[in-house]
Amino acid sequence: MKKEKPTLLEEHIKKAKEGKQTSFNYLLDTFWNDIYSFQLKRTRDEYEAEDITIQSFSRAFDKIHTFNETYNFRSWLTQISKNIHIDLLRKKNASIQSKTTTEVDDRVYKIADDNPTPEDKLIREQNLAQLLRYIKQLKPNYQEVINLRYFQELSYKEIAESLDEPINNVKVKLLRAKKLLSEIIAGTKK
């Protein structure tokens, strides 16, 4: 009996488990709208939906090694997102402020960022004045991570400390910011 060839999604899940940056990008691009729309319906607030979506992907990427391929990836991601939203509601109701511990920061997953992505290449090709005009079209939280990473040249850890956010949230936010920025740049070249 022949074994079925894995789908593109299965290939990327496998590669993401191995820490491949391009596979994290693929999963983020493929499922971002689904998770964001799901949260937008629940929260009725764009910023809160976006924040929960970022947290959902960062948690999923952090725990990707635990994903069981016999389940549907979209459903797994949606459940993570639902749990994060429920946790946030509980915290709001209890008015508890929580901070990420350094122990959690130290165990956070590693995404190799030394290989330039197509988005990085497109961003670098722009002249500075034009690039700044493009960056101004992003939402303020995306402008901020682009500024901290590319203009102030801070590490992920330094950005996380500066924003007082978990490092994996910073990584997902930066992935999303680069994707949106490259779409703005590509859209103006048509």
Side-chain angles (χ1 to χ4, degrees):
M1 185 148 102
K2 281 178 83 175
K3 187 175 180 184
E4 285 186 40
K5 185 179 179 206
T7 64
L8 184 60
L9 176 60
E10 291 168 340
E11 284 287 323
H12 279 290
I13 291 169
K14 180 178 182 277
K15 288 179 181 172
K17 285 182 175 187
E18 296 167 2
K20 301 287 187 223
Q21 177 72 38
T22 53
S23 292
F24 285 114
N25 287 345
Y26 174 85
L27 295 172
L28 185 72
D29 293 345
T30 303
F31 295 105
W32 177 271
N33 289 339
D34 293 333
I35 302 304
Y36 175 75
S37 298
F38 172 76
Q39 283 302 333
L40 192 56
K41 286 176 191 166
R42 291 173 69 103
T43 63
R44 296 186 182 96
D45 179 296
E46 285 183 23
Y47 290 103
E48 191 172 358
E50 193 168 62
D51 189 49
I52 294 170
T53 303
I54 288 169
Q55 289 181 49
S56 301
F57 278 96
S58 70
R59 185 164 306 161
F61 291 168
D62 191 29
K63 304 289 184 191
I64 190 98
H65 63 280
T66 67
F67 175 70
N68 182 338
E69 286 81 2
T70 60
Y71 297 106
N72 180 295
F73 189 78
R74 180 180 282 118
S75 299
W76 182 71
L77 201 50
T78 303
Q79 188 60 50
I80 289 171
S81 184
K82 190 184 295 183
N83 291 344
I84 288 172
H85 184 233
I86 290 167
D87 288 346
L88 289 174
L89 290 175
R90 284 182 186 145
K91 285 179 184 176
K92 277 183 186 176
N93 292 340
S95 33
I96 296 171
Q97 289 287 335
S98 65
K99 298 268 182 198
T100 313
T101 63
T102 52
E103 181 184 315
V104 172
D105 283 343
D106 291 339
R107 288 184 299 159
V108 96
Y109 70 98
K110 308 279 187 258
I111 294 181
D113 65 342
D114 46 5
N115 294 331
T117 63
E119 291 90 357
D120 289 329
K121 186 175 185 285
L122 198 54
I123 290 167
R124 275 196 216 101
E125 289 174 355
Q126 302 306 305
N127 73 45
L128 185 59
Q130 185 61 52
L131 181 60
L132 291 172
R133 283 193 288 277
Y134 293 144
I135 291 171
K136 290 282 185 217
Q137 295 177 42
L138 295 172
K139 289 184 180 177
N141 58 332
Y142 291 140
Q143 289 179 32
E144 187 174 26
V145 293
I146 291 282
N147 175 38
L148 293 172
R149 181 70 174 164
Y150 293 103
F151 294 100
Q152 295 184 33
E153 298 181 347
L154 298 181
S155 69
Y156 286 135
K157 187 173 187 211
E158 291 168 328
I159 295 170
E161 289 168 0
S162 169
L163 299 177
D164 194 27
E165 287 188 28
I167 197 168
N168 41 354
N169 284 17
V170 169
K171 289 178 180 183
V172 172
K173 200 178 281 187
L174 194 58
L175 281 175
R176 184 73 181 147
K178 289 191 307 185
K179 173 74 173 161
L180 292 172
L181 186 57
S182 71
E183 287 172 3
I184 290 169
I185 293 168
T188 60
K189 290 189 172 209
K190 289 180 182 177

